[in-house]
Structures are given as C-alpha cells and as structure tokens.
C-alpha cells in the first residue's frame, strides 16, 4: 500500500514558478515509477510527466516539455515537479500517481496504468 500527499500548489502570476512535492508513505517507494497528472475544470485528467524508479528515465507531455522538470529523492520518499514559465492554461488540480509495473512511454499515459493517486493540489496561474 502506498499513500501519496501532494503539496506546493498555490496562486502565481503568468511567467512565475512553483515546485510541487508528492510525499509517499511505504518502504517500497523506490520500486515505483511516479507520474504527475493534472485536471482543469471541465476537462479530463491528463498526463504531465513521469519518472522511473531510478530517476534515469523521464517523459513529458508536449504542453510542458522544456518548462517543467520532474525529479525524485528516494531517500525522502518524495517526487517533485518544478514548474517554470507558467501559463494560465496550466491552471489545474495536480495529482501524483504511482505505478509498479510499466514499460515504455505509451504505458505511462493512461490513468488506468497507475496503482495509486494522491488527493491533488490546486495550481492557479493568473494572467
């Protein structure tokens, strides 16, 4: 069992930065790939980024590539999402997810792949 708690959301002006954190409970955190998803009002939850259990592999959606960076610290059971050059269209609730068994970029995109999700943290970007 893995429990995930996101933090770091808030209100920021366009062009600003935020760093989200996702703290995980459980001693098996390092065996999970960790992803970030987001859900804007009236829209489906969408993939943002994922990082492998080792941290050596990362994938990003085209909409955030070059602006967001995912990283993890297995000693702290925490995954991060550094968000720079934020845009109003980045406004959403951001969720982290954990997946134990997945290979290849296509595997990480669907929500159904993930074994656990946190409750989310709100990010609002004003224009």
């Amino acid at each position: 069992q893995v429990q995930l708690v996101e933090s770091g959301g808030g209100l920021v002006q366009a062009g600003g930065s935020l760093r989200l954190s996702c703290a995980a409970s459980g001693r098996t955190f390092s065996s999970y790939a960790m992803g970030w998803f987001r859900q804007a009002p009236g829209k489906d939850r969408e993939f943002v980024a994922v990082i492998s259990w080792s941290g050596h592999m990362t994938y990003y959606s085209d909409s955030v590539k070059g602006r967001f960076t995912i990283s993890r610290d297995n000693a702290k059971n925490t995954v991060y999402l550094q968000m720079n050059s934020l845009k109003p269209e980045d406004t959403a609730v951001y969720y982290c997810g954990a997946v134990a068994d997945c290979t290849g970029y296509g595997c990480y995109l669907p929500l159904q792949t993930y074994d656990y999700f946190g409750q989310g943290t709100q990010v609002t970007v004003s224009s």
Side-chain angles (χ1 to χ4, degrees):
Q1 187 78 7
V2 175
Q3 291 186 326
L4 305 173
V5 179
E6 301 94 337
S7 62
L11 174 64
V12 64
Q13 289 188 330
S17 299
L18 282 175
R19 189 176 82 153
L20 305 184
S21 299
C22 173
S25 65
R27 291 176 290 178
T28 59
F29 171 76
S30 61
S31 65
Y32 287 85
M34 299 297 297
W36 285 97
F37 283 72
R38 65 186 182 185
Q39 187 166 17
K43 295 188 177 181
D44 293 333
R45 196 174 297 190
E46 65 173 3
F47 170 82
V48 174
V50 65
I51 187 167
S52 63
W53 67 269
S54 66
H56 291 154
M57 180 280 297
T58 57
Y59 294 123
Y60 297 91
S61 69
D62 288 342
S63 61
V64 308
K65 198 174 298 181
R67 300 188 298 121
F68 291 10
T69 302
I70 189 171
S71 61
R72 68 189 295 161
D73 185 337
N74 286 343
K76 295 182 178 180
N77 280 11
T78 302
V79 62
Y80 305 97
L81 186 68
Q82 178 66 44
M83 305 186 296
N84 298 329
S85 301
L86 283 161
K87 304 175 181 179
E89 51 263 45
D90 295 318
T91 295
V93 178
Y94 283 71
Y95 301 88
C96 67
V99 52
D101 186 16
C102 194
T103 302
Y105 176 67
C107 179
Y108 292 108
L109 300 184
L111 288 172
Q112 297 83 351
T113 297
Y114 291 76
D115 303 299
Y116 305 100
F117 276 102
Q119 294 300 305
T121 185
Q122 176 71 47
V123 171
T124 303
V125 184
S126 63
S127 58

